[in-house]
């Protein structure tokens, strides 16, 4: 490990972030740490061709446990379980009189669950959105695509963006302030997952989401830009 010195540490603290929103998405008030309970906020940004959303069903993937949904202003939540008692899906349904004649609102649906203890992997939540028009015609859209995982090479994630992407979370390892050492068991090729880190080091390679720090990395003698991480690689990350 080659530790960053001089100006690299001085400017690494100035970070910025961007956010991308799908039509059905999931996020939370804290990063999605592997093996930790997470408050998931599913959002539905619009209905179906002008029809209002009447029902949303989220499939709970294997490894996500302890699921406890939250009733919302959208509607009450109902769960389905398998034979072992694990929650396999959560469905929020609006009261018939609450479905509007037109698509005018944005919805939040919540649940708490424990995420799998598999850092640097993507967890997908396939979601089914049902809409009902003013004349009672129902339309269903499946937000189920797992292509273009973006951060790693999961076997169920392709490289092309999915047409109707499923809400997903990229699981991060737990961390402490300062330096953290990890052995990455997955192929990570989108290093923006470290956008809240000051700097990432692996041997003589380094990466920072901060463009000023990244420019300094590229000028630092004996240091090469870190562009991807292969399975079995040991990295040092400073938060």
């Amino acid at each position: 490990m080659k530790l960053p010195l001089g100006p690299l540490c001085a400017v690494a603290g100035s970070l910025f972030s961007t956010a991308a929103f799908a039509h059905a998405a999931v996020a939370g008030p804290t990063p999605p740490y592997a093996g930790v309970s997470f408050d998931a906020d599913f959002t539905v940004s619009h209905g179906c061709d002008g029809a209002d959303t009447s029902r949303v069903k989220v499939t709970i993937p294997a490894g996500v446990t302890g699921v406890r949904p939250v009733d919302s202003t959208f509607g009450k939540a109902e769960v389905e379980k398998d034979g072992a008692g694990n929650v396999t899906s959560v469905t929020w349904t609006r009261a018939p009189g609450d479905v509007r004649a037109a698509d005018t609102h944005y919805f939040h649906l919540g649940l708490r669950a424990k995420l799998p203890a598999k850092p640097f992997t993507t967890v997908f939540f396939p979601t089914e959105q049902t809409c009902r028009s003013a004349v009672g015609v129902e339309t269903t859209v499946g937000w189920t695509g797992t292509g273009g995982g973006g951060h790693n090479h999961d076997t169920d994630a392709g490289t092309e963006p999915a047409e109707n992407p499923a809400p997903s979370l990229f699981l991060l390892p737990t961390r402490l302030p300062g330096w953290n050492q990890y052995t990455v068991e997955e192929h990570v090729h989108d290093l923006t997952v470290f956008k809240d880190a000051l700097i990432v080091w692996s041997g003589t390679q380094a990466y920072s989401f901060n463009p000023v720090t990244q420019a300094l990395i590229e000028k630092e003698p004996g240091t090469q830009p870190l562009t991807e991480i292969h399975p079995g690689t040991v990295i040092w990350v400073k938060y």
Side-chain angles (χ1 to χ4, degrees):
M1 171 188 175
K2 179 181 177 182
L3 291 176
L5 300 174
L8 286 182
C9 284
V11 301
S14 175
L15 296 175
F16 62 90
S17 63
T18 59
F21 296 95
H23 300 301
V26 61
T30 60
Y33 296 126
V36 174
S37 292
F38 181 73
D39 290 335
D41 177 31
F42 291 88
T43 55
V44 179
S45 59
H46 62 70
C48 317
D49 295 325
D52 196 15
T53 303
S54 60
R55 184 171 62 251
V56 176
K57 179 179 180 179
V58 174
T59 298
I60 306 300
V64 175
T65 59
V67 177
R68 300 184 71 86
V70 178
D71 291 335
S72 73
T73 55
F74 179 90
K76 292 188 177 297
E78 298 292 338
V79 301
E80 295 182 22
K81 298 182 179 182
D82 61 18
N86 299 309
V87 175
T88 56
S89 69
V90 179
T91 302
W92 289 266
T93 304
R94 297 175 72 186
D98 291 341
V99 180
R100 295 174 175 84
D103 172 27
T104 58
H105 282 55
Y106 176 93
F107 300 107
H108 287 267
L109 309 166
L111 61 82
R112 168 171 284 191
K114 185 176 181 180
L115 299 174
K118 296 182 64 178
F120 304 109
T121 62
T122 301
V123 177
F124 294 95
F125 294 83
T127 298
E128 183 180 277
Q129 176 187 8
T130 300
C131 302
R132 189 168 70 247
S133 71
V135 295
V137 177
E138 287 197 340
T139 304
T140 299
V141 178
W143 301 99
T144 59
T146 58
H151 302 306
N152 56 21
H153 287 309
D154 287 346
T155 56
D156 60 347
T159 57
E160 294 298 324
E163 181 177 355
N164 282 9
S168 64
L169 295 170
F170 183 78
L171 305 185
L172 299 172
T174 55
R175 84 277 297 269
L176 294 172
W179 287 104
N180 294 260
Q181 183 186 41
Y182 305 115
T183 299
V184 182
E185 301 298 346
E186 306 293 331
H187 188 153
V188 180
H189 60 89
D190 179 3
L191 298 187
T192 62
V193 298
F194 297 108
K195 64 185 178 183
D196 63 333
L198 301 179
I199 198 164
V200 182
W201 283 89
S202 177
T204 60
Q205 296 180 303
Y207 165 83
S208 177
F209 186 70
N210 184 296
V212 177
T213 306
Q214 186 64 25
L216 290 172
I217 289 170
E218 295 171 3
K219 295 178 181 179
E220 182 80 359
T223 302
Q224 299 296 319
L226 179 66
T227 58
E228 61 181 342
I229 301 172
H230 296 278
T233 300
V234 175
I235 64 173
W236 289 83
V237 184
K238 187 173 185 179
Y239 292 101

